[in-house]
Amino acid sequence: MKHSEYSVVIIGSGAAGLYAALKLSQEISLPDGILLITKSTLGESNSKYAQGGIVGVLHQNLGDTTEAHVIDTLKAGAGLSDKCVTKYISEISDTVINDLINFGVNFDKNPKGEFNFTLEAAHSFRRILHVGGDATGREIIKSLIKKVQEDSNITILENSMAVELLVNSDSVCKGLILYNELTNEHEIVYTSATVLATGGVGQLYKYTTNPDCTTGDGIDLAYNAGAVIQDLEFIQFHPTALALSSNKNRFLISEAVRGEGAKLVDNTGNEFMSKYHDRRELAPRDIVTRAIYNEMRLNKSPNMFLNASIIETSKLLSRFPTISCKCKENGIDITKTPIPVAPAAHYSMGGVKAEVNGKTSIKGLYAIGEVASTGLHGANRLASNSLLECVVCAYELADHLSFTNLLPPKKIDKSILEKIDLYNTPINEIDYNIPNLKQDLKNIMWEKVGIIRNEKDLLEAKVLLKECSKNFKRNRRCLNREEYEYRNMLTAATLIIDLALNRKESRGAHSRSDYIKPYEEAIHSNIIKDNSKELLNVK
Ligand code: FAD
Ligand code: SIN
């Protein structure tokens, strides 16, 4: 098998991966360079589709404070956010926003040349920066890609998927195996710092705002390496995805549209949010999601509506060009017609347990961005905190690695060689219909592990997934990208179900009809690979 050596390997080219690569190149002299691998084209990621914006608690935004942002984040997090982590991330937001500007990100300004801050649900202050109106992700990624492509310390490998982490018997990560889709070959990459920046798990659900790449790969890789996984039961369903029946990857209708005044209405045009929360459309995301879900049930309707036509027309069109254009393509004039919306899987609050600098429970393995669980988001993420977390953690990772010995790994032991052997051994060419298998899994997750859960459904989902795993006869090594993704989806889905079963309470995005109240002493849930060491802390 072909092999190579790098000082640092970053897996994923969303905001977290791209920014980490740039900061590392800027901060540290790396003898063997940085390898950035990504499973499709550079920048194809959740980050690219981000709309609303990124939180910045900036000194020039008079009246806003990190204390206020911390309080908003902790409230939305429903008691599970880590206060120290939240405070740290909030305090450093000014620095990273300025850094993004230096990398070419041109945040929207008003005619006076001041930042045009917007508001989103559960924020007490207008503190969200955006670019191109509602194209924040696309513009951030474009700027970062340009810099990464110009940087001679960074080698980019597209169409290359990390499929196994090489962890030795002392639990130290020494690199990874990747599958190159273009050559159809596996390759070994040795490194002393492997960074997971692989994003989330939206594709585990029938309806999602996420693109196709979000198949939980980082969760599978870390779990199989024996890393601690945390809080995966907290899946955030965004309340307002464009609900057109033909559409399963659902286009997002940003929360910022509600931030600018749009109202949720039912089939007869009646507003309903006052029944659910005193902040109405701007209640925390989990509450708005359940309100819409409930109204859909009561009205026996596949969607509710978002009436944006009450926003002044020129403001609506200039502030939300991408959304108005997408709706128009689908025959909806948002200045006149309410937009059909329904909830869709959007974000994973849990993930690989990591510190703000990306350190995981495995030496040499780091996790940043959506794949990581730092404790910022608790049981429910506050809008626009995710892009902020991506860049802060990438920034801190670069700082941490500048004090770390990044010489190529020496000790390749028997356990690593055994893993490599597995990928050298031919496997049978069973012809699985992976698109159908993926769809079955997505249906199970949507119907039984969705917005409202209960023990009966979760146990049924567990049995069904066990059956799926049994029928998929692969021992880690697979034939192609589709198979690997399905393998990873099975792992992530199983972990979500196990943790959801064990959290016998309703909290934030985890809502159970059989345990409707929060359990006061609830703490983070943990799971690691070795079942004898399984830690399930939820009472
Ligand atoms: P991603 O951006 O998802 O990048 C992951 C990368 O890893 C991708 O390049 C992927 O191809 C690659 N990858 C995955 N597995 C492998 C593998 N095995 N091998 C190689 N490569 C792999 N958050 C906000 O803060 N503000 C917003 O306005 C906002 N709007 C959003 C709108 C939408 C439609 C969506 C879907 C999300 C939004 N979010 C928003 C959430 C936010 O965009 C994401 O949480 C964040 O961008 C995640 O960044 P990331 O770098 O961690 O992961
Ligand atoms: C949105 O624009 O509604 C998404 C914001 C987020 O997910 O943080």
Side-chain angles (χ1 to χ4, degrees):
M1 227 190 282
K2 188 175 154 191
H3 62 86
S4 53
E5 254 177 38
Y6 286 86
S7 297
V8 180
V9 179
I10 298 170
I11 309 167
S13 65
L18 292 168
Y19 186 69
L22 289 170
K23 290 311 287 177
L24 279 162
S25 171
Q26 202 176 53
E27 304 274 307
I28 322 175
S29 154
L30 295 165
D32 294 309
I34 301 161
L35 176 67
L36 178 68
I37 71 169
T38 194
K39 69 176 172 177
S40 51
T41 50
L42 192 65
E44 178 54 19
S45 60
N46 265 357
S47 303
K48 185 172 152 188
Y49 300 95
Q51 292 184 358
I54 177 168
V55 163
V57 185
L58 306 191
H59 65 276
Q60 64 265 51
N61 194 10
L62 297 181
D64 195 16
T65 60
T66 52
E67 287 75 23
H69 175 230
V70 169
I71 290 172
D72 293 347
T73 304
L74 298 185
K75 258 196 206 161
L80 271 195
S81 296
D82 183 313
K83 194 171 173 189
C84 291
V85 166
T86 307
K87 188 163 175 284
Y88 191 85
I89 290 179
S90 184
E91 280 171 356
I92 209 169
S93 64
D94 199 321
T95 307
V96 292
I97 294 290
N98 277 301
D99 211 36
L100 284 177
I101 293 168
N102 290 334
F103 280 128
V105 179
N106 205 357
F107 290 108
D108 291 343
K109 295 193 172 143
N110 65 22
K112 283 194 244 161
E114 300 156 339
F115 288 123
N116 214 346
F117 293 100
T118 194
L119 188 66
E120 285 181 319
H123 282 275
S124 59
F125 207 82
R126 293 182 85 90
R127 60 166 74 95
I128 294 142
L129 293 148
H130 45 86
V131 198
D134 56 2
T136 307
R138 190 186 70 206
E139 294 303 311
I140 291 180
I141 291 300
K142 209 179 357 168
S143 302
L144 297 181
I145 283 183
K146 183 164 179 288
K147 295 283 176 197
V148 163
Q149 283 172 331
E150 285 164 8
D151 194 318
S152 59
N153 293 322
I154 305 170
T155 304
I156 301 163
L157 261 189
E158 295 179 292
N159 303 300
S160 297
M161 178 180 191
V163 296
E164 195 75 55
L165 296 175
L166 297 175
V167 174
N168 71 13
S169 48
D170 297 331
S171 218
V172 181
C173 185
K174 300 282 186 180
L176 60 125
I177 295 179
L178 64 81
Y179 168 71
N180 182 328
E181 212 182 343
L182 299 181
T183 59
N184 192 24
E185 277 173 0
H186 291 86
E187 297 173 21
I188 305 166
V189 189
Y190 293 115
T191 180
S192 39
T194 304
V195 182
L196 294 172
T198 48
V201 301
Q203 284 297 322
L204 265 57
Y205 286 89
K206 177 175 175 187
Y207 297 114
T208 178
T209 62
N210 291 191
D212 289 344
C213 58
T214 53
T215 46
D217 299 10
I219 303 296
D220 170 273
L221 294 172
Y223 174 69
N224 274 285
V228 177
I229 307 292
Q230 170 175 280
D231 294 352
L232 267 189
E233 66 275 33
F234 296 112
I235 300 294
Q236 182 167 71
F237 294 86
H238 196 291
T240 55
L242 181 61
L244 299 172
S245 54
S246 56
N247 210 331
K248 296 212 167 134
N249 281 3
R250 288 189 155 170
F251 179 79
L252 183 74
I253 306 296
S254 174
E255 206 154 66
V257 184
R258 277 175 282 135
E260 299 295 349
K263 296 287 177 202
L264 287 163
V265 294
D266 64 17
N267 309 20
T268 52
N270 288 324
E271 291 178 20
F272 54 81
M273 273 313 295
S274 60
K275 284 196 274 177
Y276 296 93
H277 198 274
D278 55 4
R279 292 205 65 197
R280 299 173 179 221
E281 275 72 11
L282 296 183
R285 202 169 269 183
D286 58 318
I287 292 169
V288 184
T289 293
R290 283 193 294 274
I292 296 179
Y293 184 74
N294 196 39
E295 291 294 321
M296 282 163 51
R297 221 173 28 92
L298 294 175
N299 288 276
K300 296 192 175 52
S301 170
N303 56 272
M304 287 289 106
F305 294 89
L306 184 68
N307 183 7
S309 67
I310 48 185
I311 304 171
E312 199 260 315
T313 302
S314 62
K315 180 174 179 193
L316 179 61
L317 296 179
S318 62
R319 181 66 185 79
F320 301 109
T322 318
I323 292 172
S324 53
C325 187
K326 183 74 180 184
C327 287
K328 200 167 190 179
E329 276 170 25
N330 286 286
I332 303 160
D333 176 353
I334 66 169
T335 66
K336 296 198 175 76
T337 318
I339 310 165
V341 291
H346 182 63
Y347 185 82
S348 166
M349 267 74 73
V352 183
K353 190 171 193 280
E355 296 175 27
V356 175
N357 60 16
K359 274 170 82 177
T360 69
S361 56
I362 297 210
K363 202 165 171 228
L365 179 66
Y366 300 85
I368 54 171
E370 189 168 340
V371 70
S373 173
T374 62
L376 172 68
H377 308 302
N380 180 43
R381 176 175 65 94
L382 184 68
S384 291
N385 262 353
S386 170
L387 287 174
L388 175 63
E389 186 192 42
C390 286
V391 284
V392 170
C393 294
Y395 183 93
E396 292 299 319
L397 169 82
D399 186 58
H400 167 75
L401 289 181
S402 67
F403 297 102
T404 308
N405 182 353
L406 291 174
L407 291 175
K410 287 200 192 94
K411 206 176 147 213
I412 306 303
D413 69 4
K414 195 168 151 249
S415 71
I416 288 185
L417 293 174
E418 277 168 7
K419 279 203 178 111
I420 292 171
D421 264 357
L422 193 65
Y423 286 82
N424 264 328
T425 315
I427 54 170
N428 53 25
E429 306 249 344
I430 307 166
D431 195 10
Y432 291 110
N433 185 338
I434 299 288
N436 281 359
L437 294 177
K438 279 184 171 177
Q439 196 54 52
D440 290 345
L441 181 148
K442 286 151 81 86
N443 293 342
I444 295 168
M445 292 300 282
W446 184 258
E447 275 150 31
K448 299 188 183 296
V449 198
I451 296 167
I452 309 281
R453 296 138 179 205
N454 64 58
E455 181 152 301
K456 181 174 163 287
D457 284 351
L458 290 169
L459 286 172
E460 279 171 17
K462 195 174 158 99
V463 170
L464 289 168
L465 277 194
K466 236 186 205 157
E467 196 61 22
C468 297
S469 300
K470 214 172 91 195
N471 293 336
F472 185 59
K473 298 186 194 317
R474 296 284 184 227
N475 174 21
R476 299 296 297 159
R477 177 164 173 203
C478 297
L479 272 187
N480 50 42
R481 172 174 159 178
E482 281 282 303
E483 283 197 4
Y484 277 120
E485 287 188 337
Y486 181 59
R487 176 198 79 174
N488 299 341
M489 288 165 74
L490 282 169
T491 307
T494 305
L495 294 176
I496 293 171
I497 294 169
D498 281 347
L499 289 173
L501 269 167
N502 278 287
R503 186 169 287 279
K504 295 187 180 2
E505 63 161 352
S506 288
R507 178 179 296 276
H510 174 69
S511 186
R512 285 192 55 162
S513 56
D514 47 355
Y515 294 93
I516 54 177
K517 290 208 175 121
Y519 176 78
E520 292 205 348
E521 289 156 47
I523 47 175
H524 292 285
S525 59
N526 287 298
I527 195 162
I528 55 176
K529 185 182 182 205
D530 181 347
N531 286 337
S532 63
K533 289 191 218 144
E534 194 172 296
L535 309 162
L536 289 170
N537 291 328
V538 180
K539 305 242 167 73

